[in-house]
């Protein structure tokens, strides 16, 4: 077996894997573990050992007295690789050398398999994929498709193409190409230059595994192919489908795909059509078989018109618009506020509403009435408006909002606050209210994340829009609407803020709640769990240091269930 076109043997690839920075560090960590190192209930090194490991690996911890190893992301990257590669094994409260350590320098194929497994997990290619994972996949796809070094600008365009507005993720922040390149370099996949990145033989092998060996088998039927790539951005779906398409030839592949498209609905139908488009003009005979079909006819006539150098009819364009927009809307989260669904639909459609709405209504598509009703209805009122774009979101001056602020990933007890605030309160003021109500010290950065964008202190580098220019009612319009508030980007304290009710307007006030605010800088939800466990166990390593850090004389002085509406309202009154 050799790497794609580069002549690298498994032994050479395994040597490169062992030498990559993160695997070399994992090996060093495994040797250091020796006869055993104690771990916490979260199965990570205890704080003192974590600092010792950082010193060994040349990692600068954020503090010489961390609450947990989880507070040190570079160490946790190496730790995760060491455990996944079985260089380290965690058992009976200790980390000990794993079974792979004894044969690490001998079994090339085992090392290479472990490296591939670790890289797939590190870049989110194993389970459900999130925005950053899609960005990683976009960069890997670009590297796979290019034989030479790839400029950072090309990688950035690839990320934007795959992640920019996919799924109507409007205003979402994107991880940069240079950041991804640095992560890939840790695994020996690329060598970053000043303006570009050069894939290594190991990197070529990895993209080959992801996009060729990991592609759907050539002998599966069209339905199975479509099911395996549906939901991916079109470019990635096509890339993974190329082995299947090549095994059949354009004409045969198009016939199978269109037959499957006729039986499919929604996103799978659009995936089948996108794959058929990859077959190019040689698929023309297959398309001609569907020109009179109620479901695929508009697509077929549109493709044939394109190849003839003509414009599709207005009716066909309208039919296709309804089909693609309704399909895209159907995969949006059901809890998404109606007003944002309307905004997303108009962003996709574009054009003059006075012309567009009648065309859509007369397209003949079975879902046209549903889409037109959505586009012409005021999402804040049950009455139907005349045709036109969605109205601006009202600031709702003169009414109040009852909000629930709940700290995510914290339980036993949960931490939440029930607040009443003016609906026209701006987000910068809501930030101050949340800080006071929860009990934070307002010592770190924050951001509000919403489908319409990210709002905080204006920052072109972070992509944050000005929170002072946006009223709460602009992002919370209907009961049940929700926005995410994140405080302290290091610890990552996420809060869900949900509109529970419309109430009479008044000054900010807390009406209910539970749970004490976690201590600042304790390491986020996981660190907080470790903190509570360490305080509860007088024999735990770091118990005395933790009391000193918290300024407590006894663990009983810290009560995670402590809450008082009176205390919160005193803090809120100081804001006024």
């Amino acid at each position: 077996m050799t790497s794609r076109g580069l002549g690298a043997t498994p032994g050479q690839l395994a040597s490169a894997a062992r030498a990559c920075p993160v695997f070399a560090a994992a090996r060093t960590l495994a040797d250091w573990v020796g006869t055993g190192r104690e771990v916490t209930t979260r199965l990570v090194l205890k704080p003192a050992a974590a600092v010792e490991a950082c010193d060994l690996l040349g990692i600068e911890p954020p503090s010489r007295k961390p609450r947990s190893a989880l507070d040190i992301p570079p160490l946790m990257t190496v730790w995760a690789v060491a455990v996944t590669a079985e260089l380290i094994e965690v058992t009976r409260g200790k980390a000990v050398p794993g079974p792979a350590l004894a044969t690490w320098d001998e079994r090339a194929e085992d090392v290479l398999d472990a490296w591939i497994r670790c890289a797939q997990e590190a870049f989110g290619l194993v389970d459900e994929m999130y925005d950053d994972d899609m960005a990683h996949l976009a960069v890997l796809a670009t590297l796979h498709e290019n034989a030479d070094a790839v400029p950072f600008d090309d990688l950035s365009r690839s990320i934007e193409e795959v992640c920019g507005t996919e799924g109507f993720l409007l205003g979402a922040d994107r991880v940069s190409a240079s950041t991804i390149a640095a992560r890939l370099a840790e695994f020996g996949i690329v060598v970053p230059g000043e303006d570009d990145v050069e894939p290594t033989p190991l990197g070529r092998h990895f993209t080959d595994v992801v996009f060729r060996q990991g592609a759907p088998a050539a002998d599966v039927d069209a339905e199975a192919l479509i099911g395996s790539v549906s939901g991916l951005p079109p470019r990635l779906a096509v890339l993974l489908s190329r082995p299947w398409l090549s095994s059949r030839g354009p004409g045969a592949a198009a016939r199978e795909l269109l037959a499957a498209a006729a039986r499919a609905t929604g996103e799978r139908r659009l995936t089948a059509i996108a794959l058929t488009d990859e077959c190019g003009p040689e698929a023309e005979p297959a398309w001609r078989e569907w020109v009179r079909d109620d479901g695929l006819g508009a697509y077929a006539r549109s493709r044939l018109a394109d190849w003839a150098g003509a414009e599709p009819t207005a009716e066909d364009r309208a039919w296709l618009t309804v089909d693609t927009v309704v399909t895209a809307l159907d995969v949006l989260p059901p809890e998404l506020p109606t007003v944002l669904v309307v905004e997303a639909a108009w962003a996709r459609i574009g054009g003059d509403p006075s012309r567009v709405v009648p065309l859509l209504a007369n397209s003949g598509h079975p879902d046209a009435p549903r889409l037109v009703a959505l586009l012409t209805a005021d999402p804040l009122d049950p009455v139907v408006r005349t045709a036109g774009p969605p109205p601006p979101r009202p600031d709702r001056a003169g009414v109040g909002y009852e909000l629930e602020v709940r700290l995510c990933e914290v339980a036993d007890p949960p931490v939440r606050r029930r607040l009443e605030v003016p609906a026209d309160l701006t987000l910068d003021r809501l930030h101050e209210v949340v800080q006071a109500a929860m009990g934070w010290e307002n010592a770190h950065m924050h951001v509000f994340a919403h489908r319409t964008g990210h709002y905080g202190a204006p920052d072109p580098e972070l992509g944050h829009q000005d929170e002072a220019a946006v009223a709460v009612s602009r992002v919370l319009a209907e009961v049940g609407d929700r926005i995410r508030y994140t405080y302290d980007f290091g610890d990552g304290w996420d809060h869900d803020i949900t509109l529970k009710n419309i109430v009479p307007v008044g000054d900010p006030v807390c009406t209910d709640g539970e749970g004490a605010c976690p201590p600042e800088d304790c390491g986020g939800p996981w660190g907080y769990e470790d903190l509570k466990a360490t305080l509860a166990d007088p024999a735990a390593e770091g118990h005395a240091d933790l009391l000193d850090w918290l300024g407590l004389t006894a663990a009983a002085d810290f009560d995670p269930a402590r809450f008082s509406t009176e205390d919160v309202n005193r803090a809120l009154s100081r804001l006024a």
Side-chain angles (χ1 to χ4, degrees):
M1 180 184 72
T2 61
S3 181
R4 179 167 56 91
L6 297 175
T9 66
Q12 291 168 330
L13 294 173
S15 295
R18 293 188 191 99
C20 78
V22 72
F23 256 45
R27 167 65 186 269
T28 300
L29 192 65
D31 289 334
W32 168 82
V33 161
T35 58
R37 302 277 179 167
E38 291 189 353
V39 297
T40 69
T41 55
R42 297 290 177 185
L43 306 182
V44 299
L45 290 170
K46 289 195 171 183
V51 172
E52 187 179 343
C54 285
D55 293 340
L56 174 75
L57 299 175
I59 294 171
E60 184 65 35
S63 167
R64 299 300 295 180
K65 289 186 177 182
R67 301 278 62 79
S68 165
L70 294 164
D71 296 345
I72 313 172
L75 175 62
M76 290 310 303
T77 297
V78 177
W79 178 262
V81 165
V83 172
T84 300
E86 298 184 348
L87 289 167
I88 288 176
E89 185 175 60
V90 179
T91 179
R92 297 181 181 178
K94 282 191 173 184
V96 297
L101 186 60
T103 60
W104 193 247
D105 296 321
E106 303 166 8
R107 300 179 63 86
E109 291 192 0
D110 289 349
V111 171
L112 189 54
D113 287 345
W115 179 87
I116 290 171
R117 191 166 63 250
C118 291
Q120 288 174 328
E121 291 190 5
F123 300 116
L125 308 182
V126 178
D127 298 313
E128 182 179 358
M129 300 187 74
Y130 298 94
D131 286 351
D132 281 6
D133 304 329
M134 282 293 186
H136 292 140
L137 199 57
V139 168
L140 291 170
T142 303
L143 296 174
H144 182 70
E145 293 177 308
N146 288 271
D148 302 315
V150 181
F152 280 117
D153 288 346
D154 289 355
L155 297 182
S156 297
R157 280 191 291 270
S158 180
I159 293 171
E160 182 62 28
E161 177 187 346
V162 169
C163 303
T165 56
E166 195 63 36
F168 298 120
L169 293 174
L170 305 178
D173 293 332
R174 303 296 175 202
V175 62
S176 70
S178 58
T179 297
I180 292 178
R183 294 175 184 171
L184 295 175
E186 290 181 349
F187 280 83
I189 294 173
V190 299
V191 177
E194 185 175 343
D195 301 313
D196 58 20
V197 293
E198 176 79 33
T200 65
L202 187 61
R204 293 289 187 197
H205 178 72
F206 183 62
T207 63
D208 187 63
V209 168
V210 172
F211 294 108
R212 190 172 64 83
Q213 298 179 32
D219 59 356
V220 301
D221 59 27
E223 282 85 355
L225 170 73
I226 294 164
S228 65
V229 300
S230 183
L232 290 174
R235 179 185 168 203
L236 299 181
V238 167
L239 183 57
L240 286 167
S241 301
R242 280 179 182 164
W244 188 94
L245 296 169
S246 298
S247 71
R248 283 158 173 75
R255 280 192 169 84
E256 282 191 58
L257 289 166
L258 290 176
R263 296 188 293 271
T265 58
E267 192 172 30
R268 290 196 174 202
R269 183 179 66 250
L270 294 188
T271 298
I273 291 168
L275 297 181
T276 306
D277 286 339
E278 184 70 7
C279 298
E282 292 179 70
E284 180 178 345
W287 277 115
R288 287 193 178 279
E289 297 170 9
W290 296 93
V291 290
R292 298 189 181 280
D293 183 76
D294 289 340
L296 297 181
Y299 286 100
R301 293 188 295 271
S302 175
R303 299 314 186 264
L304 295 174
D306 286 342
W307 290 325
E311 284 288 326
T313 66
E315 292 77 8
D316 281 342
R317 287 200 303 270
W319 198 99
L320 297 178
T321 298
V322 174
D323 201 49
T324 55
V325 172
V326 168
T327 299
L329 295 180
D330 283 344
V331 300
L332 291 177
E335 68 271 15
L336 192 68
T338 302
V339 66
L340 291 185
V341 176
V342 174
E343 290 172 1
W346 276 112
R348 184 96 178 205
I349 294 168
D352 179 2
S354 64
R355 293 185 60 255
V356 169
V357 171
L359 283 172
L360 299 179
N362 296 321
S363 66
H365 194 289
D367 284 318
R370 176 160 69 99
L371 180 59
V372 169
L374 177 71
L375 296 175
T376 58
D378 183 338
L380 303 179
D381 255 331
V383 298
V384 177
R385 300 187 318 112
T386 56
R393 307 192 72 188
D395 287 340
R396 280 194 165 174
V399 301
Y401 275 178
E402 182 182 33
L403 306 175
E404 181 171 84
V405 182
R406 182 176 292 271
L407 189 58
C408 303
E409 299 184 79
V410 174
D412 194 26
V415 179
R416 64 176 185 85
R417 305 288 184 263
R418 187 65 70 101
L419 306 172
E420 293 182 5
V421 302
D424 60 358
L425 195 73
T426 51
L427 290 180
D428 61 324
R429 293 286 291 155
L430 179 62
H431 154 69
E432 295 175 355
V433 168
V434 171
Q435 286 284 313
M438 296 299 292
W440 297 118
E441 298 174 9
N442 203 5
H444 300 282
M445 296 178 69
H446 70 278
V447 68
F448 292 92
H450 190 257
R451 284 281 180 175
T452 56
H454 287 60
Y455 302 96
D459 189 320
E461 184 173 335
L462 292 175
H464 295 171
Q465 300 178 55
D466 187 1
E467 63 186 355
V470 179
V472 176
S473 62
R474 297 280 297 175
V475 291
L476 300 175
E478 297 177 324
V479 171
D481 286 359
R482 185 173 61 198
I483 190 171
R484 175 65 60 88
Y485 169 79
T486 299
Y487 171 61
D488 185 353
F489 299 162
D491 279 6
W493 297 106
D494 290 331
H495 308 64
D496 278 338
I497 303 177
T498 306
L499 175 56
K500 307 298 288 188
N501 199 9
I502 308 297
V503 296
V505 69
D507 291 331
V509 64
C510 177
T511 60
D512 188 28
E514 59 184 318
C517 183
E520 294 265 354
D521 303 317
C522 72
W526 292 109
Y528 186 40
E529 290 302 311
D530 276 340
L531 180 148
K532 290 188 288 186
T534 301
L535 283 178
D537 181 6
E541 181 181 353
H543 180 85
D545 289 341
L546 188 56
L547 289 176
D548 181 61
W549 183 71
L550 292 171
L552 303 176
T553 56
D557 295 336
F558 179 77
D559 180 8
R562 182 183 295 124
F563 170 76
S564 164
T565 54
E566 291 79 10
D567 289 345
V568 172
N569 282 321
R570 275 193 290 271
L572 291 175
S573 68
R574 288 194 287 272
L575 292 179

